[in-house]
Amino acid sequence: IGMNSGDVVVGKIGDDLRMDYTAQGATVGIAQRIEQLAAPGHVYLSGATERLVAGYFQLRAMGKTDLKGLAAALPLFELEATGSARNRLDVAMTRGLSRFVGRAAEMQTLEAALARTQSGHGQVIGIVGEPGLGKSRLCFEFIEHCRRQKIPVFEAHCPAHGKNIPYLPILELFRNYFGITPQDDARTSRQRIAGVLVLLDPALQESLPVLFEFMGVGDPNHPLPPMDPEAKQRQLYELMHRIVRAQDAQGQVTVTLIDDLHWVDAGSDGFVNQLVSAVAGRRSLIVLNFRPEYIAAFGAKAHYQQLPLVPLGDAPLRELIGSLIGSDDSVSELSTRIIDWTSGNPFYTEELINALIEAGDLVGYPGHYRLTTAVERLVVPTNVRAVLAARIDRLPEAAKRLLQTSAIIGKEFSGPLLEAVTDLQPSEQAAALERLKAGDFIYERALYPVFEYAFKHPLTHEVAYQSQLQSRRAVVHAAVARALEAQAGDKLNEQAALLAHHCEAAGEILNAARWHQRAAEWTGHSDFAAAFHHWLRVRDLARCGDDTESTMLLALAFSRALVSAIRVGGPSMASAEMFEEGCKAAQRAGNQAILASLNAIYGLAIGGGGLQQMVSLDAVRYATEAVRIADFTGDTALRAGTRGSQTWVYLYFGQLKEAERVADEIIALVAEDPLVGADVVGMSPLLAARNARLHARGSMREPTTVLREYPLARQAAIDAGFPENAVYCIAVEMDLRYALGDTSGVRALAQTAGSLANNLGTLTEIVAAIGRCHALACDRDWSTLRDAATALIRILRERGSGLVYEPRLLAFVGTAEIECGNPEAGRAAAQEGVVFMRESQSVWNPHCYAVFARAQLALAEPAADIAGALDEYESVLTRTGFHVYEGELHELRARLAEREGQQAERAAALNRAFECYTRFGMTAQAARVADARSDAA
């Protein structure tokens, strides 16, 4: 015999006259090849089967063997004999039980029941729970507790295969009670039975013949007279009652455990009911455990108590995982993923960890493992899958099909949607749903306005889904998509992502691409990461087609994916390859609008440092090409949208005059409508233009006027539904306030930016976080500022996105270090920012030059070096137009002149600083310089 385990396809073969069933697939083929290897009278097993039966049987490892058609050698085992294990707990004990956690309350309940039993009030405890929650383990720990108190314990187990074998657990219970071993022959067994009964109560001797016959050890010299089966059963029931009464009369306390009662056969179930009735008012405790599908006929008994076993909480599950794999840094995230995936089920948790160990993903030894590979997706271990699949297979056919259909809909599903896609009649569906709820496969999430259900466990959902042929899944997915669309009403946008999923699974590629497009457009202004994912799916799906619509979708997908990538961040998301492939698709489709958008977006991306540090001419070239294409089309929205990109490219490189000029063009084009051109690069051209113009005006000539206008611009962005524009507006306003030395309202602005930036992508969140740095600087919390700015720089570099803001953050780090008394560290940070601006020509904010000069002065560096740095700073300010910083530049020149004893140069520099500060309304700085001039005089 050759044995192998795994998924098979079972189907019909033959014709109407003769119809058979057969199993097909690779699993069957491997079993056939193993059979050919096995010698007569021998049974060979594959490694897949060995993993399922190890412990239950004695196996001999035969090493690996090459089989035809398999790329790798297959481990084989020979079946030698049965093993000692009868259930999963026995198998677990052979390899060492894991830590017993999280069941203190349940143990207290069992101990309380034992105490009541000892006082003469017999109890029955039914421990109910789904597979793997630890019913048998809880019983084992309690039974060991009883044995330590010298209380007699009698056990019986209901094996999975015993449901159709009459009286299997009851016979085990009787043998256990009478002390009969597998080695005892019939005569010895009769002696043991008679000895126990006579010592217990001599009157019980009259029942020996019927008991001998029931237990298969009948006395040939004194056979049981012919008797009606029902009469025989009544005698056995009565005998059970008399045994319990006799034990109680002798003051004997006993505990009886019946394990896995959900697999009990009908005959044994009758004995269990009699036993439950017999212990009422006696010194006998019965502990039963079973799954939710078992319906206890004795549930209404006064002395019966049901103890539901719920999944372990987060803390005990972490304790269990920690005891199994340890606390190495590499497994910290793995623990969280296991908890999420197994939903508090200790058996699933242990088996998942064992599967990772077997696969080599965890290396080490118990309690001290480390993760060696990134586990992107955990796989259901074979034995867990077998447990769940077997449980599903035992459902009635209607309930099973309904569960599988529900799994295709999703982990959560509504009653009307299920009704629309199932082929069951309403009454059949209602009955099947009740069966699934009673078995704890699903539960009700809501009753109004419609019934909503959810799978009780994510693994059950996955096994129910994977146990169906792909062809059936595709048909149901298509039906679900049609039903969803029909029922969505005015909420199609909200359902677009779900419709895309079902269409894709149904093989309706073009429909799936359309729904992904709709989902991306709906989430585009609120969740950039989700939008980016959907656009990538549009791209991948559109690549499968070669018609005009597919080509157009492909071009659009590249364009919009680039928009989202700027915000989500990372070179792997937005790349030159993505831009170039998108341009080719747009040219094939003959769509100039998408081609213009791609150039505008790509210019914006590289201008902001989203792809790499490039000189300004590269970013400006793409942005200008976008405007040229847009002007050629004559489309007003496209012209405004591409100019919105061009404006910010100019701002990234400090070309304030050009930014202001283009901003004026946008404002003239859109006629005060914030929505015109908003879909070109994902932002409102009007709102971007207003912000850019305020930034340029405030930095070049009239900051105090601009600060009065910023609250209006910020609120306009919020009112128009563009929170990202509002965040950028706040960022520029705080930059200007910081330059002016105006700390009023900075903390409140930082909080507003942070709340607006939620779900808007990494880059917008970083811009908002820079606002928090402004607030920390205004509060003079230098150590916190240094740590916060350093962390943001690390994020920018890891993601390769938004590098244009790095010099601003380095200026914060440098200032904080100087204020903390670390001028060397401050100089190093500021110099990094200066080098960045020098090499990339990116000057979003030039303040790093001032911080660098301050550090040089603090370190008493040579005057020529400091003067050279200040000359470069002045050149940058002149080229860009950041005149708001000129007062600080001249004040630094005055400090250098004072150090060098150059009084005339100091006085001239102070005069120029005073004039600049006064012109820009910087009264505090002007007063400080005025005092310095008075001291000099």
Side-chain angles (χ1 to χ4, degrees), residues 83-122:
S84 58
R86 290 173 296 177
N87 54 34
R88 291 198 307 268
L89 183 64
D90 292 338
V91 174
M93 290 174 67
T94 62
R95 67 189 183 202
L97 289 175
S98 59
R99 184 177 297 176
F100 184 58
V101 298
R103 299 302 185 199
E106 289 83 354
M107 282 293 289
Q108 288 177 0
T109 299
L110 290 168
E111 290 169 8
L114 178 61
R116 289 195 294 274
T117 298
Q118 289 170 322
S119 65
H121 301 284

Side-chain angles (χ1 to χ4, degrees), residues 109-148:
T109 299
L110 290 168
E111 290 169 8
L114 178 61
R116 289 195 294 274
T117 298
Q118 289 170 322
S119 65
H121 301 284
Q123 300 288 298
V124 179
I125 302 291
I127 302 171
V128 59
E130 297 174 16
L133 288 181
K135 300 182 295 296
S136 296
R137 177 64 186 277
L138 174 63
C139 290
F140 169 79
E141 297 293 338
F142 176 67
I143 292 304
E144 290 300 299
H145 168 76
C146 294
R147 284 176 174 148
R148 285 193 292 271

Side-chain angles (χ1 to χ4, degrees), residues 331-348:
V331 301
S332 57
E333 291 186 13
L334 176 63
S335 299
T336 301
R337 295 192 66 180
I338 291 174
I339 289 171
D340 292 341
W341 217 54
T342 61
S343 299
N345 189 300
F347 170 64
Y348 298 164

Side-chain angles (χ1 to χ4, degrees), residues 369-386:
Y369 284 102
R370 57 186 177 84
L371 189 63
T372 58
T373 57
V375 183
E376 296 300 329
R377 187 181 186 280
L378 300 174
V379 177
V380 185
T382 306
N383 45 1
V384 173
R385 181 181 174 86

Side-chain angles (χ1 to χ4, degrees), residues 730-743:
I730 292 172
V732 176
E733 179 183 355
M734 285 196 289
D735 246 359
L736 188 56
R737 287 190 182 278
Y738 188 77
L740 296 175
D742 180 359
T743 63

Side-chain angles (χ1 to χ4, degrees), residues 558-579:
F558 278 113
S559 171
R560 295 297 179 262
L562 273 171
V563 171
S564 301
I566 295 173
R567 292 152 173 89
V568 177
S572 62
M573 294 183 174
S575 64
E577 290 77 15
M578 183 181 286
F579 168 67

